Each structure stands twice: as C-alpha cells, then as structure tokens.
C-alpha cells in the first residue's frame, strides 16, 4: 500500500497542472478508474479504523490502509469535481458505496482515536463530498444510486455522525 499511497499522492499533486493530459491518457481508461474504486472497496472493508487501537495507536498496516484511503479519496475528490466521465464510471462501479464505507470507517476511527480525530474527519468529509459530486452527475446517476441501495449506505454512514 505504501507505493500506491505515494503514487496517488503524486497524481493528486500534479493533477491540477496536468488534468487535461491525465484525463486523456489515464482517466479515460475505465480500468484506471476501476483500480481506484477497487482500492476504495478494499479499504472500506478493511479493519483500519474498526479495530481497537493498540498501545501507541494504529499498527503500521492499519496506518497504511488509512493513508491509502485518504490519498485515494482526495484524488477522486479532485477528479470528480471536473470530469463527468469519471463521475459516471465511478458511480456505475459502485464507487458511492465504497466512498460511504470509507466515511464510516473514518468516523469510527475519529470516535475511537480522539488524538487523530481531525484527520479522520477530513477523510470522511472528502468521501462525502465525492458522493455528492457523483450524485450531482444527473438523474441517471441518482436513479442508479437509489436502485442500487446506496441510500441505505448513506443512512448507515449518518448513524456514525448522530
């Protein structure tokens, strides 16, 4: 996960300056978006935030999964703000559900690790902004999200906030 985290951090830093080129050569390939969604799905299902903190905080594996999740979500937040094609691909690959699982993990971690709560709140916020950007794609995306049961995931995520 460390090399993936570093790669996503680099993409996130260069994206504002090279968005057109990255869009043409990387993000136009559904396999690239699928790889990002797969990272989200694996991270949302991993125990990086759900496990009990050990002495000294999270283990290095848990920290690596949390860092990878954060970078992936931050990169998707940048990309989905501008690229409608990416929004549609992420939506139809169940990216909203994966993003909501990340938000739930981050909110759980914020509750169990008060010293790191701010960082986890930022991950949850970025994930929720991505979901809002996906839902803002239009009626087709909204209908798909509704019919795929993503509204249930939204409800589950909101339970952590309330």
């Amino acid at each position: 996960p460390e090399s993936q985290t570093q790669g996503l951090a680099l993409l996130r830093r260069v994206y504002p300056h090279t968005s057109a080129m990255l869009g043409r050569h990387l993000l136009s390939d559904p396999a690239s978006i699928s790889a990002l969604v797969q990272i989200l799905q694996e991270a949302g299902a991993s125990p990086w935030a759900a496990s009990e903190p050990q002495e000294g905080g999270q283990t290095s594996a848990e920290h690596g999964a949390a860092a990878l999740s954060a970078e992936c979500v931050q990169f998707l937040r940048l990309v989905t703000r501008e690229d409608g094609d990416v929004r549609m691909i992420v939506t139809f690959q169940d990216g909203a559900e994966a993003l909501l699982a990340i938000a739930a993990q981050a909110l759980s971690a914020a509750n169990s690790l008060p010293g790191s709560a701010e960082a986890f709140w930022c991950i949850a916020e970025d994930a929720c902004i991505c979901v809002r950007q996906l839902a803002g794609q239009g009626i087709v995306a909204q209908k798909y999200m509704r019919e795929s049961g993503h509204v249930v995931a939204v409800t589950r995520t909101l339970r952590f906030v309330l």
Side-chain angles (χ1 to χ4, degrees):
E2 188 175 338
S3 62
Q4 290 176 315
T5 303
Q6 291 171 349
L8 284 169
L10 178 63
L11 282 172
R12 185 173 51 84
R13 283 194 297 270
V14 301
Y15 182 78
H17 309 290
T18 60
S19 59
M21 184 179 63
L22 283 174
R24 268 193 321 274
H25 299 288
L26 179 67
L27 300 173
S28 62
D29 181 6
S32 298
I33 305 306
S34 181
L36 289 171
V37 172
Q38 183 177 359
I39 290 170
L40 288 175
Q41 289 169 338
E42 289 172 2
S46 75
W48 61 266
S51 62
E52 286 294 317
Q54 299 174 0
E55 191 172 323
Q58 294 176 304
T59 66
S60 61
E62 291 167 341
H63 176 73
L68 180 57
S69 297
E71 284 298 335
C72 191
V73 168
Q74 288 174 357
F75 181 64
L76 278 174
R77 180 179 174 181
L78 280 174
V79 173
T80 57
R81 178 177 45 209
E82 298 177 5
D83 194 324
D85 292 337
V86 171
R87 283 193 300 266
M88 287 304 287
I89 294 168
V90 170
T91 298
F92 286 99
Q93 291 185 359
D94 293 329
E97 186 172 22
L99 286 161
L100 290 167
I102 294 292
Q105 285 273 36
L107 293 170
S108 175
N111 288 334
S112 63
L113 299 169
S116 303
E118 187 174 336
F120 288 117
W121 278 105
C122 289
I123 294 170
E125 177 187 27
D126 286 342
C128 290
I129 288 170
C130 283
V131 172
R132 186 183 71 212
Q133 289 172 172
L134 297 178
Q137 178 63 23
I139 193 74
V140 173
Q142 292 167 6
K143 182 178 179 183
Y144 176 79
M145 291 169 101
R146 185 176 55 250
E147 290 177 358
S148 296
H150 295 153
V151 175
V152 173
V154 169
T155 305
R156 239 179 301 146
T157 303
L158 289 175
R159 286 184 189 153
F160 285 101
V161 176
L162 305 174

